[in-house]
Amino acid sequence: MPLVSIVFPVRAIEGAALRAVASLRNQTHENWELLIVSDDDRSCRRELARRGCDDGRIRFIASPFPDAGPNVARNTGLHQARGEFVALMDANDRYHPERLASLVPLASDHGMAADNVNIVEIDSGRCLRTVLPLEPTIVVLDLERFLCIDDPLSFVFHHSVLRHQWDEDVVLQDDSLFMLRALERAGEAVVLTEPLHDHFIAREGISARLTRQRRAEIAYTYCLHKLEINGLGFWTESFRQAAGNMLFHKRALSRAYTEAISGRPAGYLSWRDEGD
């Protein structure tokens, strides 16, 4: 049974993070290590022990400096991962018990494998949607099909496709760019359409949504600028072009959404709108 390293950036072990850790401890694939990367590993260890969730397979790692950001934490964990396979976890994730056991053999054959995801509302616990249709039962993603998926999937990677890291200065689409670089090396990815993973989201008011959309505009524009300067780490022209098309398309969708919820063109929004 191969070792799977799960990289988990946290700022505090609270209810949501405890739920994520508990779901990992219920995996039928038992050979895993959880790398909890935080600013204060001692508080994480104490809280896990207090809640009965401490486990010898959990490793506690500190970010290189306080408030380093999730991508710095992910890179810190990735550099210390010892597993043949690497997976990702965030506080708003919950693995189903068969997730790792189902995905590891597929990642071994294809380099990277994902499952379908239930998008669940935190307050009600209601499943709002799944990212992919439930049929067919398995989907192989090439570059073109990968770009058709709007919500990011969560992959298990074989270590051989991870020759890169997260962009520490990118705050949006960082996961998509990371996965796209892995796909560039793997050539294809396989996805089980059975949901083996829950992703929890909160309901947002209009002020929060407008704030998020303004940040999205800045982030997409910054990534497109970086793509022109250094290619964002892609080494083939087809993937550089694909990354540019993806970012440009998502920025256009973000602008359209901003206009729809605000009633004004995206360019007319200002910081004063945050209090509306």
PDB file of all heavy atoms in Angstrom, residues 261-276:
ATOM      1  N   ILE A 261     -24.794  41.409 -10.699  1.00  0.00           N
ATOM      2  CA  ILE A 261     -25.202  41.562  -9.303  1.00  0.00           C
ATOM      3  C   ILE A 261     -25.179  43.007  -8.840  1.00  0.00           C
ATOM      4  O   ILE A 261     -25.787  43.338  -7.824  1.00  0.00           O
ATOM      5  CB  ILE A 261     -24.324  40.703  -8.354  1.00  0.00           C
ATOM      6  CG1 ILE A 261     -22.857  41.168  -8.365  1.00  0.00           C
ATOM      7  CG2 ILE A 261     -24.431  39.242  -8.686  1.00  0.00           C
ATOM      8  CD1 ILE A 261     -21.971  40.424  -7.367  1.00  0.00           C
ATOM      9  N   SER A 262     -24.462  43.866  -9.580  1.00  0.00           N
ATOM     10  CA  SER A 262     -24.370  45.264  -9.155  1.00  0.00           C
ATOM     11  C   SER A 262     -25.269  46.185  -9.961  1.00  0.00           C
ATOM     12  O   SER A 262     -25.607  47.286  -9.520  1.00  0.00           O
ATOM     13  CB  SER A 262     -22.927  45.758  -9.262  1.00  0.00           C
ATOM     14  OG  SER A 262     -22.531  45.819 -10.634  1.00  0.00           O
ATOM     15  N   GLY A 263     -25.626  45.756 -11.175  1.00  0.00           N
ATOM     16  CA  GLY A 263     -26.422  46.614 -12.041  1.00  0.00           C
ATOM     17  C   GLY A 263     -25.612  47.680 -12.738  1.00  0.00           C
ATOM     18  O   GLY A 263     -26.163  48.562 -13.384  1.00  0.00           O
ATOM     19  N   ARG A 264     -24.280  47.602 -12.601  1.00  0.00           N
ATOM     20  CA  ARG A 264     -23.400  48.580 -13.234  1.00  0.00           C
ATOM     21  C   ARG A 264     -22.243  47.863 -13.896  1.00  0.00           C
ATOM     22  O   ARG A 264     -21.859  46.774 -13.471  1.00  0.00           O
ATOM     23  CB  ARG A 264     -22.841  49.565 -12.195  1.00  0.00           C
ATOM     24  CG  ARG A 264     -23.847  50.596 -11.727  1.00  0.00           C
ATOM     25  CD  ARG A 264     -23.261  51.415 -10.614  1.00  0.00           C
ATOM     26  NE  ARG A 264     -23.159  50.633  -9.378  1.00  0.00           N
ATOM     27  CZ  ARG A 264     -22.565  51.073  -8.280  1.00  0.00           C
ATOM     28  NH1 ARG A 264     -21.976  52.250  -8.268  1.00  0.00           N
ATOM     29  NH2 ARG A 264     -22.533  50.313  -7.197  1.00  0.00           N
ATOM     30  N   PRO A 265     -21.653  48.469 -14.935  1.00  0.00           N
ATOM     31  CA  PRO A 265     -20.472  47.859 -15.540  1.00  0.00           C
ATOM     32  C   PRO A 265     -19.371  47.665 -14.512  1.00  0.00           C
ATOM     33  O   PRO A 265     -19.207  48.479 -13.592  1.00  0.00           O
ATOM     34  CB  PRO A 265     -20.058  48.872 -16.612  1.00  0.00           C
ATOM     35  CG  PRO A 265     -21.301  49.633 -16.919  1.00  0.00           C
ATOM     36  CD  PRO A 265     -22.067  49.698 -15.626  1.00  0.00           C
ATOM     37  N   ALA A 266     -18.592  46.611 -14.662  1.00  0.00           N
ATOM     38  CA  ALA A 266     -17.566  46.274 -13.675  1.00  0.00           C
ATOM     39  C   ALA A 266     -16.574  47.412 -13.467  1.00  0.00           C
ATOM     40  O   ALA A 266     -16.106  47.656 -12.367  1.00  0.00           O
ATOM     41  CB  ALA A 266     -16.821  45.013 -14.110  1.00  0.00           C
ATOM     42  N   GLY A 267     -16.295  48.159 -14.530  1.00  0.00           N
ATOM     43  CA  GLY A 267     -15.311  49.222 -14.419  1.00  0.00           C
ATOM     44  C   GLY A 267     -15.753  50.384 -13.557  1.00  0.00           C
ATOM     45  O   GLY A 267     -14.941  51.211 -13.143  1.00  0.00           O
ATOM     46  N   TYR A 268     -17.068  50.483 -13.263  1.00  0.00           N
ATOM     47  CA  TYR A 268     -17.566  51.594 -12.473  1.00  0.00           C
ATOM     48  C   TYR A 268     -17.602  51.290 -10.983  1.00  0.00           C
ATOM     49  O   TYR A 268     -17.939  52.144 -10.184  1.00  0.00           O
ATOM     50  CB  TYR A 268     -18.961  51.993 -12.954  1.00  0.00           C
ATOM     51  CG  TYR A 268     -18.944  52.742 -14.258  1.00  0.00           C
ATOM     52  CD1 TYR A 268     -19.097  52.055 -15.455  1.00  0.00           C
ATOM     53  CD2 TYR A 268     -18.735  54.118 -14.289  1.00  0.00           C
ATOM     54  CE1 TYR A 268     -19.058  52.735 -16.664  1.00  0.00           C
ATOM     55  CE2 TYR A 268     -18.704  54.801 -15.491  1.00  0.00           C
ATOM     56  CZ  TYR A 268     -18.861  54.102 -16.676  1.00  0.00           C
ATOM     57  OH  TYR A 268     -18.822  54.768 -17.867  1.00  0.00           O
ATOM     58  N   LEU A 269     -17.299  50.055 -10.613  1.00  0.00           N
ATOM     59  CA  LEU A 269     -17.311  49.722  -9.194  1.00  0.00           C
ATOM     60  C   LEU A 269     -16.094  50.321  -8.502  1.00  0.00           C
ATOM     61  O   LEU A 269     -15.009  50.383  -9.066  1.00  0.00           O
ATOM     62  CB  LEU A 269     -17.310  48.201  -9.013  1.00  0.00           C
ATOM     63  CG  LEU A 269     -18.580  47.495  -9.495  1.00  0.00           C
ATOM     64  CD1 LEU A 269     -18.396  45.997  -9.342  1.00  0.00           C
ATOM     65  CD2 LEU A 269     -19.792  47.965  -8.717  1.00  0.00           C
ATOM     66  N   SER A 270     -16.275  50.759  -7.283  1.00  0.00           N
ATOM     67  CA  SER A 270     -15.174  51.324  -6.519  1.00  0.00           C
ATOM     68  C   SER A 270     -15.192  50.744  -5.117  1.00  0.00           C
ATOM     69  O   SER A 270     -16.071  49.974  -4.759  1.00  0.00           O
ATOM     70  CB  SER A 270     -15.300  52.851  -6.449  1.00  0.00           C
ATOM     71  OG  SER A 270     -16.368  53.200  -5.585  1.00  0.00           O
ATOM     72  N   TRP A 271     -14.204  51.120  -4.343  1.00  0.00           N
ATOM     73  CA  TRP A 271     -14.136  50.626  -2.970  1.00  0.00           C
ATOM     74  C   TRP A 271     -15.350  51.049  -2.166  1.00  0.00           C
ATOM     75  O   TRP A 271     -15.719  50.409  -1.189  1.00  0.00           O
ATOM     76  CB  TRP A 271     -12.853  51.125  -2.308  1.00  0.00           C
ATOM     77  CG  TRP A 271     -12.754  52.612  -2.187  1.00  0.00           C
ATOM     78  CD1 TRP A 271     -12.190  53.459  -3.097  1.00  0.00           C
ATOM     79  CD2 TRP A 271     -13.226  53.436  -1.130  1.00  0.00           C
ATOM     80  NE1 TRP A 271     -12.294  54.760  -2.675  1.00  0.00           N
ATOM     81  CE2 TRP A 271     -12.909  54.778  -1.451  1.00  0.00           C
ATOM     82  CE3 TRP A 271     -13.886  53.193   0.077  1.00  0.00           C
ATOM     83  CZ2 TRP A 271     -13.235  55.844  -0.635  1.00  0.00           C
ATOM     84  CZ3 TRP A 271     -14.204  54.254   0.905  1.00  0.00           C
ATOM     85  CH2 TRP A 271     -13.882  55.569   0.541  1.00  0.00           C
ATOM     86  N   ARG A 272     -16.039  52.128  -2.568  1.00  0.00           N
ATOM     87  CA  ARG A 272     -17.203  52.592  -1.826  1.00  0.00           C
ATOM     88  C   ARG A 272     -18.356  51.593  -1.913  1.00  0.00           C
ATOM     89  O   ARG A 272     -19.251  51.593  -1.062  1.00  0.00           O
ATOM     90  CB  ARG A 272     -17.661  53.951  -2.356  1.00  0.00           C
ATOM     91  CG  ARG A 272     -16.687  55.089  -2.043  1.00  0.00           C
ATOM     92  CD  ARG A 272     -17.231  56.416  -2.500  1.00  0.00           C
ATOM     93  NE  ARG A 272     -16.348  57.503  -2.162  1.00  0.00           N
ATOM     94  CZ  ARG A 272     -15.324  57.908  -2.900  1.00  0.00           C
ATOM     95  NH1 ARG A 272     -15.071  57.279  -4.043  1.00  0.00           N
ATOM     96  NH2 ARG A 272     -14.556  58.910  -2.531  1.00  0.00           N
ATOM     97  N   ASP A 273     -18.358  50.740  -2.964  1.00  0.00           N
ATOM     98  CA  ASP A 273     -19.442  49.767  -3.113  1.00  0.00           C
ATOM     99  C   ASP A 273     -19.439  48.721  -2.020  1.00  0.00           C
ATOM    100  O   ASP A 273     -20.450  48.042  -1.814  1.00  0.00           O
ATOM    101  CB  ASP A 273     -19.332  49.063  -4.471  1.00  0.00           C
ATOM    102  CG  ASP A 273     -19.561  50.025  -5.624  1.00  0.00           C
ATOM    103  OD1 ASP A 273     -20.595  50.710  -5.639  1.00  0.00           O
ATOM    104  OD2 ASP A 273     -18.680  50.091  -6.498  1.00  0.00           O
ATOM    105  N   GLU A 274     -18.333  48.550  -1.314  1.00  0.00           N
ATOM    106  CA  GLU A 274     -18.243  47.503  -0.323  1.00  0.00           C
ATOM    107  C   GLU A 274     -19.268  47.684   0.782  1.00  0.00           C
ATOM    108  O   GLU A 274     -19.756  46.737   1.370  1.00  0.00           O
ATOM    109  CB  GLU A 274     -16.843  47.443   0.279  1.00  0.00           C
ATOM    110  CG  GLU A 274     -16.625  46.263   1.194  1.00  0.00           C
ATOM    111  CD  GLU A 274     -15.174  46.062   1.525  1.00  0.00           C
ATOM    112  OE1 GLU A 274     -14.325  46.730   0.905  1.00  0.00           O
ATOM    113  OE2 GLU A 274     -14.882  45.241   2.404  1.00  0.00           O
ATOM    114  N   GLY A 275     -19.657  48.888   1.050  1.00  0.00           N
ATOM    115  CA  GLY A 275     -20.635  49.121   2.114  1.00  0.00           C
ATOM    116  C   GLY A 275     -22.075  49.082   1.659  1.00  0.00           C
ATOM    117  O   GLY A 275     -22.974  49.268   2.454  1.00  0.00           O
ATOM    118  N   ASP A 276     -22.321  48.840   0.327  1.00  0.00           N
ATOM    119  CA  ASP A 276     -23.689  48.845  -0.186  1.00  0.00           C
ATOM    120  C   ASP A 276     -24.492  47.665   0.350  1.00  0.00           C
ATOM    121  O   ASP A 276     -23.947  46.614   0.579  1.00  0.00           O
ATOM    122  CB  ASP A 276     -23.668  48.782  -1.713  1.00  0.00           C
ATOM    123  CG  ASP A 276     -23.146  50.095  -2.306  1.00  0.00           C
ATOM    124  OD1 ASP A 276     -22.967  51.049  -1.536  1.00  0.00           O
ATOM    125  OD2 ASP A 276     -22.914  50.135  -3.547  1.00  0.00           O
TER     126      ASP A 276
END
